[in-house]
Amino acid sequence: MSTFEPPVSRRPAPAPRRRRGPQRGRVSPRTRLRRILTAAALVALLPALISYVSTIAEPSNSTWGIRSVEWLRDHGAAGIVTKIESIYYSLNEPSKGGPGLRALPRTGLKGGARAPGTATVVERPARIAPLLSPSLPGEGEWNSIRGSESSSNPPLLVTTFRTDPEYPRLVAGVAWINPSRSEVSLVPGRLEPSVELPARGPLEVPASARSRLLATFNSGFKLADSHGGWAKNGHTYAPMQQGEATFVRYADGHYDVAAWHGGPRVPASVVFARQNLPLIVEEGKLNPNLSDGPEWGATLGNAVRVWRSALGVDRHGNLLYVAANEQTVSSLAKILQHAGAVRAMELDINSYWISFNTYGAPGALHPSKLLSETERSASRYLTPDDRDFFAVYER
């Protein structure tokens, strides 16, 4: 007997559901926003990138690092760069005291050169009195740069001395320039002065003038930082600022370092004029405003101890150049005052920009640095340079 079973209804199994992924060609709002912001940032940065690459690609005798820092300063990051530099120098500030030096850095020909039959010295400056006791051999004594120079009326002399009993290892290099036996020229650089000039010239000591070359030395701050004037051959290319410290050469052959009171344009009698901040020494006295940080430059101010340089004039009208490491504006002014300057102005600062080079033989042969610790080569200014500078020639 068979058993009847009703047929079982078989429905097809439902197909598994597929997860919906992002459809091809569609972008999520978050991704779209991210892409828009990235594109906007690239568009915003493109001009800066082009500017930076163009700057780095230009001819220059400065390192890539220096040019990068200078570009940052000129494009809105000066405050950040200055803060980083200030922190660095503060962390590396010299300690007071400690062991003193046993010898001074060698500069010039020790003892100078005495002309045959010369019994007395007529035009040589007095020795710079040592500030530390006992003094070191040759400290503060003036030396010639060439063995053929007469000691009675030399064109240029150099010396070194320790600057501060509290910092017995700090040494200043000093150069004395005699205007009766020499002449100084202001030479434009590739980038400074940052003004339009009819012709920049060779940007270095001209080859035709090297037979008389005695020395070269750095100028002042960039005009964008100092906001000072710059003039040459009776023409004013950056307006002169009232009361600012100015190195001037006049057509009658004399020089001065003084506060400017001649209006925005120089007269035809001015061979050159270069300004840089206020005077640090005036009438033999220190400027009472040396504690005002912003007054002495937007980069590092007055109190940070760094390489600094300065130029002054003594009571006889001779020029005095000074370079020293680990100096504030105040200590720099005291060095000039002690060396005999009645008026003085700060020049450039930082080890990369300070250079005073002498040449031991005509033709710019045997170049030598006033202080060996300065960073740039003794042959600087014998090739095109970015900054304006001064050249000293034998008259």
Side-chain angles (χ1 to χ4, degrees):
M1 182 175 187
S2 63
T3 303
F4 175 77
E5 295 182 1
V8 178
S9 176
R10 297 182 179 272
R11 294 180 179 178
R17 293 183 178 181
R18 295 180 180 178
R19 290 186 177 182
R20 288 188 178 183
Q23 296 184 9
R24 185 173 297 178
R26 296 188 62 182
V27 179
S28 68
R30 180 177 298 178
T31 301
R32 185 181 298 112
L33 178 61
R34 185 164 54 245
R35 290 179 180 179
I36 291 173
L37 292 177
T38 301
L42 290 174
V43 171
L45 290 174
L46 186 60
L49 180 62
I50 293 174
S51 171
Y52 174 75
V53 172
S54 299
T55 298
I56 296 300
E58 291 176 351
S60 173
N61 71 323
S62 299
T63 66
W64 169 83
I66 291 294
R67 282 182 287 164
S68 296
V69 170
E70 292 295 296
W71 184 88
L72 288 171
R73 287 191 188 280
D74 295 338
H75 291 81
I80 297 174
V81 173
T82 298
K83 185 65 175 178
I84 294 173
E85 286 184 335
S86 297
I87 293 173
Y88 170 81
Y89 287 117
S90 297
L91 292 175
N92 291 275
E93 188 173 350
S95 300
K96 293 183 178 181
L101 297 174
R102 295 185 177 182
L104 290 168
R106 182 175 181 178
T107 185
L109 302 175
K110 294 302 178 183
R114 183 169 296 280
T118 301
T120 58
V121 174
V122 179
E123 296 293 338
R124 293 175 75 95
R127 177 191 184 188
I128 298 177
L131 292 170
L132 280 73
S133 181
S135 63
L136 295 175
E139 187 164 15
E141 295 178 355
W142 295 100
N143 305 305
S144 63
I145 62 170
R146 295 179 182 175
S148 60
E149 290 176 359
S150 168
S151 65
S152 62
N153 191 23
L156 188 147
L157 298 170
V158 292
T159 191
T160 55
F161 72 97
R162 292 167 295 172
T163 62
D164 191 336
E166 293 187 335
Y167 298 91
R169 301 186 66 84
L170 300 187
V171 175
V174 188
W176 175 88
I177 302 170
N178 179 358
S180 69
R181 289 288 316 283
S182 65
E183 59 182 56
V184 182
S185 176
L186 174 59
V187 183
R190 182 185 288 109
L191 302 177
E192 288 295 321
S194 53
V195 294
E196 290 294 329
L197 298 177
R200 294 233 163 211
L203 316 176
E204 60 183 307
V205 177
S208 59
R210 295 185 184 184
S211 61
R212 299 187 298 118
L213 185 65
L214 295 171
T216 49
F217 62 93
N218 60 278
S219 182
F221 288 10
K222 295 166 62 176
L223 295 188
D225 294 332
S226 71
H227 307 291
W230 202 98
K232 188 170 182 180
N233 297 329
H235 298 282
T236 304
Y237 298 102
M240 306 298 290
Q241 302 300 313
Q242 189 78 356
E244 292 292 273
T246 312
F247 179 30
V248 189
R249 175 184 172 184
Y250 294 95
D252 63 5
H254 86 275
Y255 301 82
D256 203 357
V257 175
W260 182 260
H261 296 293
R265 309 193 71 81
V266 302
S269 60
V270 169
V271 176
F272 68 69
R274 180 50 156 104
Q275 293 189 309
N276 199 57
L277 314 178
L279 289 173
I280 59 176
V281 177
E282 188 167 13
E283 303 308 322
K285 300 178 181 179
L286 303 185
N287 185 328
N289 297 321
L290 293 179
S291 60
D292 183 3
E295 188 85 51
W296 308 105
T299 54
L300 290 174
N302 69 317
V304 178
R305 287 189 171 271
V306 295
W307 274 100
R308 295 184 188 266
S309 62
L311 185 71
V313 60
D314 67 17
R315 61 190 180 91
H316 301 293
N318 303 303
L319 299 173
L320 290 165
Y321 174 96
V322 162
N325 194 10
E326 309 287 5
Q327 301 296 324
T328 66
V329 173
S330 296
S331 64
L332 180 71
K334 291 176 182 177
I335 294 172
L336 268 295
Q337 184 187 49
H338 185 71
V342 293
R343 293 181 299 279
M345 61 188 288
E346 184 176 48
L347 295 180
D348 219 337
I349 64 174
N350 291 331
S351 61
Y352 195 77
W353 301 117
I354 292 177
S355 293
F356 190 102
N357 303 319
T358 59
Y359 306 91
L365 300 178
H366 311 310
S368 178
K369 295 192 280 189
L370 177 64
L371 291 175
S372 60
E373 295 85 359
T374 49
E375 190 169 342
R376 306 294 286 275
S377 165
S379 296
R380 185 188 180 187
Y381 306 133
L382 300 181
T383 56
D385 200 88
D386 291 349
R387 300 287 187 93
D388 56 327
F389 65 94
F390 297 101
V392 185
Y393 300 100
E394 190 167 16
R395 189 184 292 276

